[in-house]
Amino acid sequence: MKKVLIPVTNHATLGETDQANGTYAPELTHVVHVLKAQGIAFELASIGGGQVPLYGTETEDDEVNRQMLEDPELQAKIANTLKASELNVSDYDAIFYPGGFGLLSDLASDDQFAVLAASHYEAGGVIAAVCHGPAALLPITLSTGEPLIANKSVTCFTREEEIDFGTISDIPFLLEEAIARKAAQYRKVQPWQELVVEDERLITGQNPASAHAVGVALAKHLTQ
């Protein structure tokens, strides 16, 4: 059975503010929903392990989010993520980074996961990320010394979307700028529209509206 490693943040606030944050639930739940439907296993991990913070758990308008947040398997994994130090990355066929602002404060600069992800990619693995998830791609350096995204086309949450969402002055750094400075090509569409960019075994989605399509693209890579 194919298996996806999902690294999530331990950071529970928006940057240095006291605003509750973490992983944005719909970007996790919509992808997990696709994986489960395709019979693909998944595991959640974080730098420190244990219970991880989620936000975006209001489910009135999102049946998939509601269904997945009530899913016993996912609930158990959110409550008890594996520690980065406990992982054997060769057990996984893909790595998926969901978004949320929390990871701008930990995974975006974490060497432990970056080293795991680099070895995974160089061994033929697939890496996917959505919204702020591509922040976790920034520290990934291949054995050539080049950043993973140096020769890749990628997307992520945009400056316009940060402004619309009211977070532009509270984020630790502007992800669009950081990605655009490091990637071969940065792509975006109008705010809040779906965009998924696939470049060989790297899949990125722009925003929450792109999460389902990222899940579909990831499942396709693993089942074809």
Side-chain angles (χ1 to χ4, degrees), residues 5 10 13 16 18 29 31 36 60 65 71 79 83-84 101 107 109-110 118-119 124 129 141 150 155 213 215 217:
L5 175 64
N10 292 119
T13 63
E16 298 304 308
D18 58 3
T29 57
V31 172
K36 284 176 74 94
E60 304 82 51
N65 198 34
D71 179 76
K83 259 188 179 170
F101 296 92
L107 289 169
S109 55
D110 180 66
S119 67
T141 303
T155 187

Side-chain angles (χ1 to χ4, degrees), residues 57-178:
T57 54
E58 313 78 15
T59 59
E60 304 82 51
D61 306 322
D62 190 335
E63 179 57 26
V64 167
N65 198 34
R66 185 195 65 75
Q67 190 184 331
M68 286 292 98
L69 288 172
E70 292 174 359
D71 179 76
E73 182 188 14
L74 183 56
Q75 280 182 342
K77 291 181 190 299
I78 290 165
N80 190 28
T81 62
L82 297 176
K83 259 188 179 170
S85 56
E86 299 169 345
L87 295 172
N88 180 359
V89 77
S90 62
D91 293 344
Y92 301 92
D93 303 283
I95 298 174
F96 165 63
Y97 297 98
F101 296 92
L103 89 163
L104 296 178
S105 298
D106 62 5
L107 289 169
S109 55
D110 180 66
D111 289 336
Q112 232 179 336
F113 270 112
V115 168
L116 291 174
S119 67
H120 167 79
Y121 193 79
E122 292 191 317
V126 179
I127 295 180
V130 68
C131 198
H132 287 91
L137 307 178
L138 292 169
I140 302 174
T141 303
L142 303 177
S143 57
T144 58
E146 282 207 315
L148 168 70
I149 62 174
N151 298 303
K152 295 279 188 274
S153 294
V154 291
T155 187
C156 68
F157 202 62
T158 69
R159 183 176 187 277
E160 293 86 353
E161 287 163 336
E162 296 283 9
I163 291 168
D164 288 354
F165 209 58
T167 44
I168 190 79
S169 57
D170 290 328
I171 45 176
F173 64 93
L174 180 60
L175 181 56
E176 175 182 327
E177 182 184 15

